[in-house]
Amino acid sequence: MENLRRYAWIALVAATAMTAITTFQTQMQMVVRGEEMSLVSMLTWNAVIWYVWGALAPFVVVLCQRHPIVWRAWRWRPLALQALLALVFIALHATIVSALMQVSPNWFGMPESYFARVVRLLTTQAHWGVMCYLATAA
């Protein structure tokens, strides 16, 4: 339990840093494109995305500790298990974020339909999910 608490604090710090960094990046993209979006909207969008990952990250660490990838040429099972866990966590992230965005999907620039939001998040954010899972697992 102590390890999970420590990982949760690390994830909170990382999620806060990533929220700030991606909000700045989004702001710069908007300036370059000549588009406008309120800082509150950008910050909220990024906070939802990153704090959900922050909440999931400690569980990724614990699962990776319990099921480490031990490379042996004839054993693909640990790698396959981690790939499956990555897919599960990416899908879980999209479903949780979509549920949180249900409060005001239009404000987030997302479709009204829950399923359509999940699909959009998976198609636009899955690459971040892979990187987050790999970084957390590492």
Side-chain angles (χ1 to χ4, degrees):
M1 186 64 173
E2 183 61 32
N3 281 342
L4 191 59
R5 190 172 303 137
R6 183 178 64 206
Y7 299 143
W9 278 108
I10 293 168
L12 176 67
V13 170
T16 301
M18 290 306 298
T19 297
I21 290 166
T22 55
T23 298
F24 176 75
Q25 178 188 20
T26 304
Q27 178 66 34
M28 292 301 100
Q29 288 173 348
M30 292 292 176
V31 168
V32 168
R33 292 181 192 154
E35 299 173 359
E36 290 191 27
M37 182 179 194
S38 77
L39 183 60
V40 173
S41 295
M42 282 184 275
L43 189 61
T44 304
W45 166 269
N46 287 305
V48 169
I49 296 293
W50 288 111
Y51 283 107
V52 171
W53 264 115
L56 295 174
F59 300 101
V60 172
V61 172
V62 169
L63 284 171
C64 288
Q65 288 174 341
R66 289 188 182 164
H67 305 285
I69 297 175
V70 180
W71 179 254
R72 293 188 185 125
W74 62 92
R75 290 195 53 194
W76 287 88
R77 187 170 181 231
L79 186 58
L81 177 62
Q82 286 302 322
L84 177 64
L85 288 172
L87 293 175
V88 167
F89 276 95
I90 291 165
L92 183 60
H93 178 264
T95 58
I96 293 170
V97 168
S98 183
L100 292 172
M101 289 181 174
Q102 179 62 35
V103 174
S104 183
N106 291 332
W107 191 70
F108 286 104
M110 297 295 281
E112 290 285 334
S113 161
Y114 175 80
F115 180 73
R117 278 194 310 277
V118 171
V119 170
R120 177 164 306 163
L121 287 165
L122 286 172
T123 58
T124 62
Q125 300 288 317
H127 64 290
W128 280 105
V130 171
M131 290 186 291
C132 289
Y133 191 89
L134 289 173
T136 304

